Every structure is written in C-alpha cells, then in structure tokens.
C-alpha cells in the first residue's frame, strides 16, 4: 500500500505532527508513504520525497511543514487535473491525504467526487473556521502567540498612556480575535461576524480613561467591518488562485479613528504571519498527532472521500463532501461572554 501526503494553503503549527502521525500509522499497517512538495503543485509536477518513521521522528516540535505549501488550485486548468490523475497512476498510489483548509480540501473533494480519486482530508488552519470539526490544530498556537504579544504591548501602552490596536488574522471568522481578546483581557474586540461600532468603542475607551485606566488594548480581526463604514479593508485588489483577497490594514484605520475621535494617542500593531510561525503548542501537537494517526489508519483501510475531525474529545471521520464549502464563524455566545468586559 502506498499513501501520498500533501500540505496546502497557509501553513500552520501542527502540520508536522500530522505528517508524523500519518507516516507512523501507515508504516504500522505495512504501507509506505511519500510526501508531495508544495501543496497541489507536488502531485502536478510529481515532486515528492520518501517519508519513513525514521525520517519524521524528530519533526513534532517544528512549526510550518517539512513538505512546503502553496495555494495552487489545479481546477483552474483541466490539464493540471489530468497531470494529477496521471501521476497518481504512475506512482501507483492507493490514497492521497490532503492536509489543508477549505480550499485544499475542496480540491481533494472534487478530485474524489468527479474523478474517482482516492482522497482523504485532514482539516488545518489557524483561523479555526472549518465546519465538521470542533477545532482545528494551529488555532491554539496562534491564540497563545497573540495573547503573549498583547501581554508585551500592554506594558508599553501603559507606560505611554496609549491605546494600542492589535490586528489579528482569521479571514472572515473572528475566532482568533475573540479568543485572544478574552485571554489577554483586552478592552474591546472587533470581529467580522458583527459590524463593530466605533462610537461604542470610543465611548468605552474614554470612560475607562476617566475612571483611571490610562491605557487601552483593542483587538481587531483583519476581516472585521465597521458599522459606520463600508466593506472590508484589503492590502491590494489582487486575488489568489482560489479568488481570495489579501485582507489587512483595518488595525491602522481603527487606530486613526480612535485617535481623531478621542484625542488619545494611539498606535497599531499588525501581528501578521507571526501568528502562524514557530513551534506548535502541546495541545496542537497532540491534536495534530491524533488526526494524523486516524488519517493514516483510514488511508490504510482503503477508505476514500472521508475527512478526519475532532468531535468532543474523539477523532471521527466524516464525509469530505459535507465538510467543505461552509465557513464556521465565531460562536456568538462566546462573543457575548467577552462583551461582559466591555461595559
Ligand atoms: O488562512 C490562514 C491565513 O493566515 C489567514 O488568517 C490570512 O488572511 C491568510 O492566511 C494570509 O495568507 P498569506 O499567507 O497568503 O498572506
């Protein structure tokens, strides 16, 4: 039995533990694993490396992915899909495990549903926005990074009596912003799910200052929209292979508005790719390993068109088709709990 693995889309801490888990489970079942390099570009160009339990034995603590990643979309051009099908046959693969977010898993699903390819999905993203799984690995690491950054920003904000606006990633879901705002005791959070009121935030910041708190921390998700303004703030108009615009810049905008409306000196910090870098937390290593082991077992059992997922404390498998195409946005009950502190 021969299993291929690839990692696609934005990298995230926990990918290497998944790879290690798959390789070990496949080897235990008597199979062999290869790792395609740089997302879907790997099977298109037949660019791969051999993976063995020995070669992946020391990667559990490493961030990123030893296989590299890309946002390549083979469905942009039918000849690219043909190449994948050819290479799958040429390599005598029994199964391809795609580790990725909605875009990467969407490709895996289409290759299975429309071309009969034996694919299995494993959900990943720091954004935590995939349906059919309770949480994605990478998310825990990213909120720990943001919370630690805010702890540091708090002392300088306090020294200078400033407000600091912290812009987080997360695309169109506010999980990272909301969880890191709660974890760091921020004064306000803006998430994409609920248009944020500048008026409410400025009133709160002024009230706190009058009450004696001389600094403030505001967390803004990159995909947040302001109730008083139109549309998303983007870096430039270009879109990637899957049609997504690059978000970013709302932190600066919010900081300028706060300073002009309240007169409080305000700075902004965009944490950007720091949120995806470095070693995975222990929780992400464990979740990644468990998902990898189950994906490897599934591949070895001959399953296809399935995705491994976390439900409660158990790893289960669900239909890949049911898992893609639906964004899982922030649970508003959690935002409501956070709002207890924004009075
Ligand atoms: O989906 C993960 C993510 O980090 C988003 O939070 C962010 O908007 C995007 O990827 C950034 O993509 P890139 O790495 O291509 O700049």
């Amino acid at each position: 039995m021969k299993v291929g693995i690839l990692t696609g889309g934005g990298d995230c801490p926990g990918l290497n533990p998944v790879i290690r888990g798959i390789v070990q489970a496949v080897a235990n079942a008597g199979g062999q694993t290869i790792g395609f390099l740089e997302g879907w570009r790997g099977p298109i160009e037949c660019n791969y490396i051999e993976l063995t339990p020995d070669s992946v034995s020391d990667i559990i603590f490493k961030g990123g992915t030893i296989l590299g990643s890309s946002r390549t979309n083979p469905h942009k051009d039918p000849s690219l899909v043909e190449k994948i099908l050819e290479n799958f046959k040429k390599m005598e693969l029994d199964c391809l495990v795609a580790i990725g977010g909605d875009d990467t898993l969407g490709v895996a699903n289409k290759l299975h549903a429309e071309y009969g390819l034996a694919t299995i999905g494993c959900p990943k993203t720091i954004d935590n926005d995939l349906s059919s799984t309770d949480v994605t690995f990478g998310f825990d690491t990213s909120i720990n990074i943001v919370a630690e950054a805010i702890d540091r920003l708090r002392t300088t904000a306090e020294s200078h009596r400033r407000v600091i606006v912290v812009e987080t990633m997360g695309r169109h879901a506010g999980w990272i912003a909301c969880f890191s705002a709660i974890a760091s005791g921020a004064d306000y959070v803006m998430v994409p799910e609920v248009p944020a009121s500048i008026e409410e935030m400025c009133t709160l910041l002024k009230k706190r200052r009058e009450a004696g708190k001389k600094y403030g921390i505001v967390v803004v998700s990159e995909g947040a929209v302001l109730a008083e303004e139109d549309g998303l703030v983007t870096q430039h108009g270009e879109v990637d292979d899957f049609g997504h615009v690059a978000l970013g810049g709302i932190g600066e905008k919010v900081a300028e508005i706060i300073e002009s409306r309240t007169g409080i000196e305000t700075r902004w910090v965009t944490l950007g790719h720091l949120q995806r870098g470095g070693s995975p937390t222990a929780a992400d290593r464990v979740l990644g390993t468990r998902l990898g082991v189950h994906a490897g077992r599934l591949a070895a059992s001959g399953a296809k068109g399935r995705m491994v997922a976390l439900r409660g404390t158990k790893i289960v498998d669900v239909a890949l088709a049911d898992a893609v195409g639906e964004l899982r946005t922030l649970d508003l009950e959690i935002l409501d709990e956070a709002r207890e502190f924004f009075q």
Side-chain angles (χ1 to χ4, degrees):
M1 179 220 332
K2 198 169 175 190
V3 176
I5 311 181
L6 65 82
T7 51
D11 70 334
C12 88
L15 285 165
N16 287 327
V18 177
I19 293 168
R20 177 173 168 270
I22 297 171
V23 173
Q24 188 66 50
V26 171
N28 291 348
Q32 181 195 348
T33 310
I34 59 158
F36 286 109
L37 302 179
E38 298 164 13
W40 288 108
R41 199 183 295 142
I44 291 170
E45 295 174 359
C46 208
N47 193 10
Y48 67 92
I49 54 173
E50 306 280 347
L51 296 171
T52 65
D54 273 354
S55 73
V56 297
S57 66
D58 64 350
I59 63 172
I60 195 162
F61 69 98
K62 289 186 185 160
T65 159
I66 57 162
L67 300 178
S69 193
S70 72
R71 295 192 190 278
T72 309
N73 180 3
H75 292 295
K76 271 184 83 177
D77 175 351
S79 72
L80 301 180
V81 171
E82 280 308 314
K83 288 220 167 87
I84 293 179
L85 300 176
E86 266 168 37
N87 289 331
F88 194 94
K89 250 197 215 141
K90 190 172 94 187
M91 302 285 306
E92 297 181 329
L93 284 181
D94 295 292
C95 182
L96 178 59
V97 182
I99 313 166
D102 201 49
D103 296 331
T104 304
L105 298 177
V107 172
N109 179 47
K110 211 165 165 189
L111 287 173
H112 169 65
E114 293 180 16
Y115 301 89
L117 211 72
T119 56
I120 285 187
C122 177
K124 71 87 234 204
T125 170
I126 61 164
D127 301 341
N128 201 33
D129 62 354
L130 293 178
S131 54
S132 299
T133 189
D134 287 353
V135 71
T136 54
F137 64 85
F139 174 63
D140 185 68
T141 306
S142 77
I143 59 173
N144 274 285
I145 293 169
V146 179
E148 198 213 317
I150 293 177
D151 289 347
R152 292 176 188 280
L153 292 168
R154 185 188 288 279
T155 58
T156 170
E158 186 169 17
S159 303
H160 288 267
R161 299 355 187 179
R162 286 171 174 157
V163 168
I164 297 190
V165 177
V166 182
E167 179 183 307
T168 69
M169 282 187 167
R171 275 212 214 270
H172 306 291
W175 292 101
I176 298 178
C178 185
F179 273 58
S180 49
I182 293 173
S184 60
D187 295 285
Y188 202 80
V189 66
M190 294 181 171
V191 294
E193 289 80 358
V194 180
S197 166
I198 284 282
E199 194 54 47
E200 181 186 77
M201 177 187 57
C202 289
T203 306
L204 180 66
L205 292 171
K206 280 199 283 191
K207 191 171 111 186
R208 293 214 162 152
R209 185 155 287 235
E210 279 153 22
K213 187 177 180 194
K214 298 288 182 215
Y215 74 100
I217 299 288
V218 172
V219 180
V220 185
S221 174
E222 62 179 358
V225 277
L226 308 179
E228 293 91 343
E229 313 239 344
D230 284 341
L232 290 164
V233 181
T234 59
Q235 292 172 32
H236 45 70
E238 288 159 33
V239 293
D240 67 16
D241 258 18
F242 290 90
H244 304 298
V245 287
L247 297 172
I250 191 166
E252 176 178 4
K253 185 166 181 172
V254 169
E256 282 166 7
I257 296 175
I258 293 174
E259 189 162 293
S260 72
R261 290 217 193 168
T262 65
I264 305 171
E265 192 178 22
T266 304
R267 297 285 190 266
W268 77 91
V269 173
T270 301
L271 293 175
H273 294 83
L274 278 174
Q275 292 159 93
R276 290 206 326 234
S279 289
T281 56
D284 278 338
R285 295 179 199 194
V286 173
L287 178 56
T289 299
R290 293 183 68 204
L291 288 166
V293 163
H294 280 260
R297 285 180 188 166
L298 264 185
S301 75
K304 48 191 167 179
R306 309 293 294 171
M307 185 188 91
V308 288
L310 179 72
R311 289 279 169 82
T313 57
K314 301 281 181 210
I315 305 293
V316 298
D317 62 282
V318 298
L320 191 47
D322 295 342
V324 295
E326 197 191 327
L327 185 74
R328 192 172 66 100
T329 52
L330 175 66
D331 179 343
L332 293 184
E333 270 181 36
I334 303 173
L335 181 64
D336 189 53
E337 289 151 13
R339 286 182 64 84
E340 287 287 349
F341 297 90
F342 305 156
Q343 311 289 323

